[in-house]
Amino acid sequence: MTYGKEPVVEMQGITKRFLDVVANKNIDFSLFPGEICALLGENGAGKTTLMNILFGYYSCDEGKIFIKGEEVSLSSPRDAIKRGVGMIHQHFTLVPSQTVLENVIIGAEPGRWLLIDKKSAREKLIRLQKKFGLLIDPDAEVWTLSVGERQKVEILKALYRNVDILIMDEPTAVLALAEIVELFKTLKALASENRSIIFISHKLHEVMEISDRIVVLRNGEVVAERKTGETNVKELANLMVGRELLERIEKKEITPGERVLSVDDLTVLSDRGLEAVKKVSFSLHKYEILGMAGVSGNGQKELAEVLFGIREKSGGKIFIKGKELKDGNPHESIKRGIARIPEDRIDTGLLMDLSVEENLILEVHSTPAFQQRGLFNFQNIHNFSETKIREYNIKTDNRDAPTKTLSGGNLQKVILARELAGEPIVLIACQPTRGLDVGAMEYIHARLLEQRDRGCGILLISEDLDEIFLLSDRIIVIYEGRIIGEADIHQATREQIGLWMSGVEEK
Amino acid sequence: MISDIFNLAFLTGLIGATLRMATPIIFATLGEIISERSGVLNLGIEGTMLMGAMTGFLVTLITGSQWLGVFTAAIAGILLGLLMAFLAVYLGLSQHVSGLGITLFATGLSMFIYRLKVGSPTVPPTVDPFKKVVIPVLSDIPVIGSSIFSSYLLTYIAIILIPLVSLLLYKTKVGLKIRTVGANPFAADTVGVNVNLLRTLCLMTGGALMAIGGSFLTLAHQNMFLIDVVGGRGWIAIAMTIFGNWDPVKGAAGALIFGVLDGFQLRLQALGFRIPFHIFLMIPYLITIVALVSVSRKATVPASLLKPYRREEKGS
């Protein structure tokens, strides 16, 4: 890293307000050629907003932007791209039904007049692919690609436009371990070509591994800037959160009790009709957190959906406290004491347009306490929702606020409040802290442990090894729809679980 | 009687009728496909066609020029497309409500203007319709010569438009942008495509095609304007868009199948079966429903159809 060079990007005194919320407060930020700069901060710290301003997607209320020494005013992404700034968003900007080539060239199609010159487009794409080792069939339709491959398409899309300032918004959030390693290789290759990269993240270990320099944002302000070699994870965590974090959550030793959930030879088909879960058997006990580790897409979703009652199994049996669970019926699952935290809070967990209160009573709205003769008893409903909002410290304007106005952490709290209200026997938690910041994560973890200590059996489905090791009493690993390994928390090692997760079985 | 149905003269008549019945639906279906591929369902189609039918007829009645009529009809279609864009794209209102509103509005307006100009005489006025264009040499081929190669110029244009629209969508820069805007407008925006402008242009083009399809009804198919002249053909075009899986060639093929059925029922009526003719009228619509049920399950809808696009400036 050379600080002697002129910065390629300089943002001075950037302020951005959304109605009455100040998302960026007088931020100064610069980026140097050939460096990988991490923008670290919790959700809502203003990282993405700042970068959307640099990308021309938002306009800033105050401040100046210089790119390559020239003051610019960016009114749309087109202006930014012209100056070599590209951004890869968390939600991919790809069209699944179109080919890789079509996705890459859109908006920058070669060719005279109306017609696209596919031949020269393809040649240019293949040249880039070879140069950076991003090999994907240009004619493959994007829906057939894995998430990691899709990200490569996004990177190619930026490179195709000769982007030399690349912003990546939480690029690892959706990737498997092996894919992250590959991504980091690509980023380093890009930086060695004197391209600059801004890496937005809240994952401390990754930031330490990939970046040259780290800028920490909190509540819309830059609170610190460090050279990566001169800081450590603990310092960064404290800077990011603004307080000392708990070193480790207290976890009581409790002997597991009776068996509450058992799954025997369960087989489940995926949407495409393939076997996503293959003859899986395991059991879960009272006072126990069973961590199911595995890279996403290995059958976890289908397994959870059967337990949730929203997918039918094709073979095997499920027992709750020794009595068989009828499948394909969510009402039955709720009635039998299964609490459900779905993988996708926004699509399946909540109704984003309904109020917080309505979401809180979704599963219990027809119980006698809340309705008589087909009419709601609003007195009881209001009491219930007010209590839950207080108990779970849900940050919302009021109980009638549309759920979509809440932040990610608070959305998850609404789900927790709803699911745990009935004192469930079994809790199925799918990726419960994915995408959440450290504070919210800490909170969710504490609540899960509290449930376990109460006697709930928890199936924790997660691909976050830190989380698995922090909470679980026992770990099973799912790979390609099968349980490939099992270990007690005291015997389990990260290496072993990691190997299992990548499909390496014991001899 | 059965042998009457399947003789050569019948076949010739059927092919001719098929093309005639299919022409307005091909225009409308292509217009709807362009709109929907950009992400906007235009239920204003039925009204737009009626507007085109009325405008084309009136202008021809006044000026005596059918082509001026078609041209003016296209302008009217463009204006209605613009209105749809204002409501559904810029204001972001429900596409269903905006579209149905435009159909109701355009229906009323067409009637109003017609009455204003023509009044309500007992015998409605007529215009000189388009003449069929007989293509030399080719029209001497038996059966298809006197059916396919002696059709209206608008029919030829409709047929030529099918591969052209297909080319536009799949082989051109603007086509790629249209498909992207309809599938993932955010993706289009981040590479500098003006999403709302492109959607507006698609609605205007689509509106023009729908209205031209409508004008065919009063300038070729018939030579007078009646309130029910469109008779649900706009809705059929919506069905054909789905039936064709948003593909111009397949959608137009659907329109031709509908044309065959419509032509067939006309022939049957002409043969004088002693059944109420309404039964025959129902056949094409009935079969359209059956076809839709079997095909539309596999349909791949443009992913952002019905969704207005705005940059996500939080809190606003």
Side-chain angles (χ1 to χ4, degrees):
Chain A
M1 185 180 43
T2 39
Y3 276 105
K5 289 183 198 165
E6 285 293 304
V8 283
V9 171
E10 247 193 300
M11 300 175 85
Q12 295 176 353
I14 301 291
T15 297
K16 172 73 180 170
R17 297 181 200 89
F18 293 112
L19 297 179
D20 47 353
V21 182
V22 184
N24 287 161
K25 236 176 283 173
N26 196 22
I27 289 185
D28 292 332
F29 173 83
S30 36
L31 181 71
F32 295 89
E35 81 165 333
I36 301 180
C37 174
L39 211 50
L40 182 71
E42 293 200 278
N43 290 328
K47 308 173 299 242
T48 305
T49 304
L50 182 68
M51 287 304 113
N52 270 327
I53 291 170
L54 180 56
F55 186 52
Y57 191 68
Y58 293 155
S59 53
C60 57
D61 298 322
E62 286 161 41
K64 287 181 181 172
I65 303 171
F66 298 86
I67 297 177
K68 294 160 194 162
E70 192 188 330
E71 181 168 1
V72 293
S73 109
L74 306 166
S75 59
S76 80
R78 174 175 284 231
D79 296 341
I81 294 169
K82 249 191 300 190
R83 295 185 165 82
V85 179
M87 180 160 176
I88 297 178
H89 292 81
Q90 222 172 337
H91 301 286
F92 290 158
T93 54
L94 299 175
V95 179
S97 58
Q98 292 173 9
T99 65
V100 169
L101 185 64
E102 285 178 323
N103 270 289
V104 166
I105 63 174
I106 164 100
E109 310 91 342
R112 273 190 300 170
W113 295 96
L114 279 172
L115 291 180
I116 300 172
D117 181 357
K118 281 219 171 148
K119 197 165 154 262
S120 74
R122 180 190 307 268
E123 279 165 9
K124 184 171 172 191
L125 175 63
I126 289 175
R127 253 197 331 273
L128 284 170
Q129 289 191 328
K130 282 193 182 140
K131 188 167 171 191
F132 294 101
L134 299 162
L135 300 174
I136 300 158
D137 176 9
D139 297 314
E141 289 187 0
V142 165
W143 65 268
T144 62
L145 305 179
S146 72
V147 183
E149 288 171 320
R150 288 181 199 200
Q151 190 172 57
K152 288 182 186 168
V153 178
E154 287 276 15
I155 296 175
L156 284 166
K157 198 169 157 184
L159 293 176
Y160 190 87
R161 290 166 173 71
N162 291 321
V163 159
D164 50 12
I165 299 160
L166 183 63
I167 307 163
M168 302 202 72
D169 192 359
E170 309 251 356
T172 61
V174 288
L175 297 187
L177 288 168
E179 290 173 325
I180 293 176
V181 174
E182 251 186 275
L183 170 69
F184 283 5
K185 253 192 255 163
T186 308
L187 294 185
K188 293 210 162 120
L190 290 173
S192 71
E193 281 239 316
N194 222 23
R195 294 179 208 246
S196 316
I197 293 158
I198 301 172
F199 184 93
I200 303 178
S201 181
H202 61 242
K203 291 186 188 163
L204 302 165
H205 291 283
E206 284 176 1
V207 163
M208 288 297 293
E209 190 184 333
I210 187 71
S211 68
D212 302 315
R213 190 165 59 97
I214 299 166
V215 174
V216 186
L217 257 64
R218 191 171 72 229
N219 292 331
E221 288 176 284
V222 173
V223 291
E225 192 187 325
R226 298 279 185 276
K227 288 190 180 182
T228 307
E230 295 166 5
T231 184
N232 57 56
V233 168
K234 190 161 183 292
E235 185 195 21
L236 289 176
N238 293 340
L239 285 169
M240 182 163 92
V241 185
R243 61 180 163 86
E244 292 280 322
L245 282 174
L246 298 175
E247 270 294 279
R248 219 189 137 71
I249 298 187
E250 295 265 327
K251 194 172 140 199
K252 281 186 251 168
E253 280 294 326
I254 309 181
T255 328
E258 55 175 310
R259 187 182 292 184
V260 285
L261 166 72
S262 61
V263 170
D264 287 343
D265 281 341
L266 183 71
T267 299
V268 188
L269 300 183
S270 70
D271 290 336
R272 292 198 212 157
L274 306 170
E275 280 192 1
V277 178
K278 298 164 191 160
K279 292 205 164 223
V280 159
S281 301
F282 63 88
S283 54
L284 173 67
H285 305 83
K286 213 172 164 176
Y287 302 111
E288 181 185 49
I289 295 183
L290 174 62
M292 178 180 277
V295 177
S296 270
N298 275 292
Q300 296 97 319
K301 181 168 157 271
E302 287 81 2
L303 173 74
E305 283 180 355
V306 171
L307 292 166
F308 288 180
I310 56 176
R311 184 185 284 273
E312 284 178 28
K313 59 180 187 265
S314 67
K317 284 184 171 151
I318 300 167
F319 298 92
I320 300 288
K321 283 194 150 179
K323 245 185 80 193
E324 199 178 343
L325 179 81
K326 278 184 282 174
D327 66 347
N329 184 345
H331 188 63
E332 158 97 358
S333 292
I334 298 168
K335 221 172 51 189
R336 296 291 295 279
I338 301 180
R340 311 170 299 165
I341 300 177
E343 186 175 321
D344 190 333
R345 336 182 226 289
I346 290 170
D347 274 350
T348 40
L350 296 164
L351 298 165
M352 301 297 279
D353 289 323
L354 295 192
S355 70
V356 173
E357 176 174 83
E358 285 166 320
N359 271 291
L360 282 169
I361 61 159
L362 269 187
E363 290 182 358
V364 289
H365 66 272
S366 59
T367 52
F370 296 136
Q371 66 131 30
Q372 289 100 32
R373 286 175 235 100
L375 293 179
F376 280 135
N377 179 335
F378 281 106
Q379 195 56 52
N380 287 353
I381 290 176
H382 294 337
N383 284 341
F384 175 79
S385 60
E386 294 287 352
T387 315
K388 289 298 168 196
I389 289 169
R390 236 177 296 120
E391 193 182 330
Y392 284 83
N393 193 17
I394 298 168
K395 283 197 193 114
T396 171
D397 291 342
N398 56 57
R399 58 170 192 254
D400 293 321
T403 307
K404 63 182 169 201
T405 59
L406 270 55
S407 73
N410 284 297
L411 293 177
Q412 194 67 308
K413 285 181 183 175
V414 173
I415 294 182
L416 270 187
R418 177 180 78 207
E419 295 300 324
L420 302 181
E423 305 221 322
I425 300 165
V426 172
L427 171 63
I428 314 291
C430 302
Q431 321 286 1
T433 60
R434 182 188 275 173
L436 299 188
D437 57 47
V438 181
M441 199 182 267
E442 224 180 32
Y443 182 90
I444 305 286
H445 286 164
R447 285 283 172 170
L448 291 180
L449 282 174
E450 187 184 288
Q451 285 299 311
R452 159 193 179 261
D453 296 347
R454 180 183 66 76
C456 184
I458 300 177
L459 176 64
L460 171 69
I461 300 176
S462 177
E463 53 182 346
D464 181 347
L465 274 187
D466 290 336
E467 179 168 80
I468 291 275
F469 274 89
L470 187 66
L471 299 178
S472 308
D473 297 297
R474 193 157 54 92
I475 301 173
I476 52 179
V477 178
I478 188 164
Y479 178 77
E480 290 191 344
R482 292 179 308 115
I483 303 294
I484 192 172
E486 175 174 349
D488 187 86
I489 187 70
H490 300 295
Q491 273 98 52
T493 62
R494 278 175 170 268
E495 290 68 35
Q496 181 60 65
I497 302 294
L499 279 177
W500 280 335
M501 280 169 75
S502 54
V504 180
E505 274 180 271
E506 277 163 300
K507 304 266 151 57
Chain B
M1 195 154 231
I2 293 297
S3 62
D4 286 342
I5 301 180
F6 296 106
N7 60 27
L8 277 188
F10 175 81
L11 202 58
T12 310
L14 178 62
I15 295 173
T18 296
L19 288 177
R20 200 174 71 230
M21 303 314 270
T23 302
I25 298 173
I26 292 173
F27 274 113
T29 305
L30 294 177
E32 185 68 29
I33 286 176
I34 293 174
S35 308
E36 293 197 22
R37 269 303 176 104
S38 82
V40 188
L41 170 74
N42 189 355
L43 291 182
I45 187 169
E46 181 84 5
T48 306
M49 288 182 79
L50 189 68
M51 196 68 175
M54 187 280 298
T55 312
F57 175 81
L58 266 193
V59 170
T60 306
L61 186 70
I62 294 163
T63 67
S65 160
Q66 297 102 340
W67 286 110
L68 196 59
V70 173
F71 179 76
T72 323
I75 301 285
I78 288 172
L79 291 177
L80 286 175
L82 207 55
L83 177 61
M84 179 70 191
F86 175 69
L87 298 174
V89 176
Y90 288 99
L91 297 183
L93 304 180
S94 152
Q95 293 180 8
H96 291 115
V97 176
S98 310
L100 289 175
I102 284 177
T103 283
L104 293 173
F105 164 71
T107 306
L109 188 65
S110 303
M111 254 342 256
F112 176 72
I113 296 174
Y114 180 79
R115 282 279 178 87
L116 213 60
K117 213 64 212 158
V118 177
S120 44
T122 36
V123 181
T126 55
V127 293
D128 278 341
F130 275 114
K131 299 274 180 302
K132 290 190 175 173
V133 178
V134 179
I135 298 179
V137 188
L138 290 175
S139 58
D140 295 336
I141 305 169
V143 187
I144 58 165
S146 53
S147 51
I148 297 179
F149 296 109
S150 50
S151 298
Y152 299 104
L153 196 52
L154 275 175
T155 302
Y156 299 133
I157 293 176
I159 303 282
I160 294 166
L161 269 178
I162 302 167
L164 282 186
V165 172
S166 193
L167 194 75
L168 172 84
L169 282 178
Y170 298 115
K171 299 282 179 203
T172 66
K173 299 177 186 179
V174 69
L176 179 59
K177 288 182 182 122
I178 292 172
R179 285 184 290 134
T180 305
V181 158
N184 188 343
F186 178 63
D189 192 10
T190 54
V191 294
V193 176
N194 188 331
V195 174
N196 289 347
L197 177 67
L198 188 57
R199 285 184 168 175
T200 303
L201 291 174
C202 285
L203 281 169
M204 289 163 68
T205 312
L209 290 175
M210 293 166 190
I212 292 173
S215 73
F216 179 87
L217 293 168
T218 47
L219 296 178
H221 183 67
Q222 297 177 7
N223 59 349
M224 60 173 92
F225 176 78
L226 299 167
I227 182 66
D228 60 350
V229 63
V230 176
R233 285 180 177 84
W235 309 135
I236 292 295
I238 299 263
M240 289 312 147
T241 302
I242 302 166
F243 176 81
N245 213 354
W246 289 268
D247 177 79
V249 174
K250 291 183 201 152
L256 281 168
I257 294 171
F258 182 83
V260 171
L261 295 168
D262 217 5
F264 192 65
Q265 68 89 6
L266 278 178
R267 299 294 110 179
L268 287 182
Q269 280 190 53
L271 289 175
F273 285 104
R274 302 194 64 78
I275 306 172
F277 73 98
H278 305 92
I279 299 282
F280 295 117
L281 281 179
M282 269 167 33
I283 295 174
Y285 297 90
L286 209 61
I287 293 186
T288 303
I289 293 172
V290 173
L292 266 184
V293 168
S294 56
V295 171
S296 63
R297 287 167 189 231
K298 285 176 282 182
T300 45
V301 192
S304 289
L305 190 67
L306 303 178
K307 292 180 197 142
Y309 180 69
R310 281 196 194 93
R311 288 208 184 151
E312 299 167 29
E313 298 252 351
K314 290 176 218 161
S316 58

